[in-house]
Amino acid sequence: MKSVFQEPKGTTKHFNQVNSLIDIAAEKQKAIDDWLPITSSRNAKWWYSAFHNVTAIVGAGVLSLPYAMAGLGWGPGVVILTLSWIITLYTLWQMVEMHEMVPGKRFDRYHELGQHAFGEKLGLWIVVPQQLTVDVSSCIVYMVTGGKSLKKFHDVVCPNCKEIRTTYFIMIFASVHFVLSHLPNFNSISVVSLAAAVMSLSYSTVAWAATLHKGPLPDANYSYKSSTSTGAFFHFLSALGEVAFAYAGHNVALEIQATIPSTPEKPSKIAMWRGVVVAYIIVALCYFPVALIGYYYFGNSVDDNILITLEKPAALIATANMFVVVHVIGSYQIFAMPVFDMLETFLVKQLMFTPCFRLRLITRTIFVALTMFIAICIPFFGALLGFFGGFAFAPTTYFLPCIIWLHIYKPKRFSLSWITNWVCIIFGVLLTVLSPIGGLRNIIISAKNYKFFS
């Protein structure tokens, strides 16, 4: 007599087929992950984290910090600069901690952390538009900055040469990225990023050292730059955004940590945090001397790029501008890599394209060409620092990590963690609301005297 527990005929074969299909799907998924830029390499050391973070955070915006100080004034300027350094270090620590908060899982991308906190769809819509705005706008700003720094180098080295349009220098700068953008992942651009980190410290040092060499203006004025109270108010708001723009590395923090190996005994957060601490020490050495010495010596007459104020010694200023060019080459690549990852993930996983070099070549070439074209069309894009600094950079850097932390960990009300996070959220929301107002006014003023393809 047959047992009632006897396995039906063909069941074992069916299970084997299902398991085989699951294994094939897992292998295919692993092959895709091994091809995508963020997850293809996990052998980075802690010092990779250090110079990747320096390259991401210390943009050419450091050169506009004295100008931001002129808009803020001594008291508010020092407070906001210091608070921003402390708050963004704290929110970066939160992101490092949350990277592996779920045992056996890594949130390799910012939007994956958002999806864990807010749900698959809502998390995607909250994080991805903001992260894309930050990454793409940064690439365009760096395209403009690179082109203008090349032009400045040319004009200083050869003052009697024929005038060359900024457009052509932007195209020269872009030509480098048509090559570098095809490097597959973060680890492959580590040499470029290291050079960029060294350059950021170098041109920041040149900026404040040359300021000391030139000496203070005899009639340095520390009153607000604008003669009207309305103008001073809008300049103050715009300066808030310029400071926020200077702390923008959080958008690629999880992606950088994804390149570091991790085991239960030695999680990636240990190496990542060590690199972050070193990076933030370098950030302080870059930001505070440039901002405070530049403003102290030149007052409200400082230009929006302190290297423009420092015309002499010519050889040193020319060298500093080339340092800026090398730095923004690295910065462009750091901010472009998450965009490449999003585009390639969408094409391969959603549209089912085959992962290959040709797909990568077409996708990345189009992106570089697009950012170059926008930079050529609106080379005053640097005026958008204040607008984008508050509108997009402040949320992802100053308070979105805090909201995610409160939502997931739910600290006790009025505890130190609860209070700290809410202080960061309030400060960040104020930046987000106020600074785009001043930035938008600057855009309107800049557009009055603007010519396309200048």
Side-chain angles (χ1 to χ4, degrees):
M1 189 174 85
K2 283 187 177 181
S3 168
V4 292
F5 298 108
Q6 185 174 353
E7 191 177 76
K9 189 176 181 180
T11 301
T12 303
K13 184 179 179 182
H14 175 71
F15 277 134
N16 288 338
Q17 287 175 340
V18 171
N19 288 334
S20 179
L21 289 172
I22 291 172
D23 290 341
I24 291 170
E27 286 177 11
K28 186 177 179 181
Q29 181 63 45
K30 185 179 183 303
I32 291 173
D33 287 338
D34 288 343
W35 182 79
L36 291 172
I38 302 302
T39 51
S40 62
S41 179
R42 295 191 191 270
N43 58 1
K45 308 298 182 184
W46 72 265
W47 53 86
Y48 284 50
S49 161
F51 55 72
H52 281 329
N53 276 290
V54 169
T55 303
I57 297 169
V58 185
V62 63
L63 300 174
S64 70
L65 287 178
Y67 184 75
M69 286 289 294
L72 297 170
W74 273 118
V78 172
V79 169
I80 289 167
L81 200 63
T82 306
L83 265 182
S84 292
W85 190 89
I86 295 169
I87 288 173
T88 56
L89 178 59
Y90 171 69
T91 55
L92 192 48
W93 170 79
Q94 288 180 311
M95 295 189 73
V96 171
E97 287 291 316
M98 290 188 289
H99 180 80
E100 291 177 280
M101 70 172 79
V102 178
K105 182 176 175 61
R106 299 180 68 171
F107 299 111
D108 295 322
R109 299 164 178 89
Y110 206 144
H111 69 81
E112 291 177 5
L113 180 61
Q115 287 174 299
H116 176 71
F118 307 118
E120 287 293 318
K121 288 188 177 179
L122 182 59
L124 209 63
W125 282 105
I126 289 174
V127 176
V128 170
Q130 293 185 78
Q131 190 179 17
L132 272 177
T133 302
V134 171
D135 291 339
V136 175
S137 62
S138 295
C139 287
I140 298 171
V141 168
Y142 290 139
M143 193 71 80
V144 174
T145 305
K148 287 193 170 183
S149 295
L150 279 174
K151 178 175 170 57
K152 180 69 176 176
F153 174 81
H154 170 268
D155 294 344
V156 170
V157 171
C158 189
N160 299 320
C161 291
K162 183 181 177 182
E163 178 76 13
I164 300 176
R165 288 183 180 182
T166 306
T167 295
Y168 298 122
F169 287 106
I170 292 175
M171 292 172 71
I172 293 169
F173 182 78
S175 65
V176 177
H177 297 291
F178 281 113
V179 177
L180 289 180
S181 290
H182 302 300
L183 293 171
N185 52 49
F186 266 119
N187 285 349
S188 65
I189 61 170
S190 57
V191 174
V192 178
S193 183
L194 174 60
V198 172
M199 292 301 104
S200 64
L201 186 58
S202 300
Y203 71 70
S204 299
T205 304
V206 167
W208 64 259
T211 302
L212 289 174
H213 175 76
K214 184 172 183 177
L217 292 179
D219 55 345
N221 187 349
Y222 302 111
S223 61
Y224 287 113
K225 196 175 182 75
S226 179
S227 57
T228 64
S229 57
T230 304
F233 174 72
F234 282 114
H235 189 193
F236 184 94
L237 298 185
S238 181
L240 290 175
E242 289 164 14
V243 173
F245 187 90
Y247 292 94
H250 293 51
N251 297 279
V252 293
L254 292 176
E255 287 80 355
I256 292 170
Q257 191 169 347
T259 65
I260 298 173
S262 185
T263 62
E265 300 78 26
K266 198 173 181 181
S268 63
K269 67 181 182 181
I270 296 173
M272 180 68 178
W273 179 242
R274 188 184 301 173
V276 166
V277 170
V278 172
Y280 258 73
I281 291 170
I282 296 172
V283 167
L285 292 174
C286 291
Y287 282 17
F288 288 94
V290 173
L292 302 180
I293 293 173
Y295 182 49
Y296 178 74
Y297 273 52
F298 299 127
N300 62 17
S301 63
V302 70
D303 291 287
D304 58 358
N305 182 336
I306 193 171
L307 292 181
I308 296 174
T309 309
L310 297 164
E311 292 291 344
K312 294 179 181 180
L316 190 63
I317 302 308
T319 303
N321 275 281
M322 284 309 297
F323 287 166
V324 173
V325 171
V326 175
H327 174 73
V328 293
I329 286 173
S331 296
Y332 183 100
Q333 290 300 314
I334 289 290
F335 279 93
M337 199 60 74
V339 181
F340 297 154
D341 183 78
M342 288 185 201
L343 291 173
E344 290 163 14
T345 299
F346 177 74
L347 291 171
V348 172
K349 292 188 176 182
Q350 300 296 321
L351 301 185
M352 307 305 289
F353 279 84
T354 303
C356 61
F357 174 75
R358 182 169 51 186
L359 177 66
R360 182 165 279 169
L361 177 69
I362 294 169
T363 305
R364 298 187 180 192
T365 300
I366 290 172
F367 177 79
V368 174
L370 183 64
T371 54
M372 179 189 74
F373 179 73
I374 297 173
I376 289 171
C377 286
I378 45 174
F380 71 94
F381 200 86
L384 295 177
L385 290 183
F387 180 77
F388 278 107
F391 179 70
F393 287 62
T396 54
T397 301
Y398 284 80
F399 65 88
L400 188 55
C402 296
I403 293 174
I404 294 173
W405 185 276
L406 289 174
H407 189 76
I408 292 173
Y409 289 107
K410 296 179 174 56
K412 188 178 178 181
R413 184 172 291 189
F414 301 116
S415 65
L416 180 61
S417 175
W418 188 89
I419 292 170
T420 304
N421 281 288
W422 274 108
V423 167
C424 295
I425 290 169
I426 292 168
F427 184 81
V429 168
L430 287 174
L431 273 180
T432 304
V433 173
L434 296 176
S435 60
I437 298 170
L440 189 60
R441 180 176 180 268
N442 282 350
I443 294 167
I444 294 168
I445 292 171
S446 298
K448 287 181 180 177
N449 303 317
Y450 169 68
K451 293 181 181 180
F452 278 99
F453 305 107
S454 60

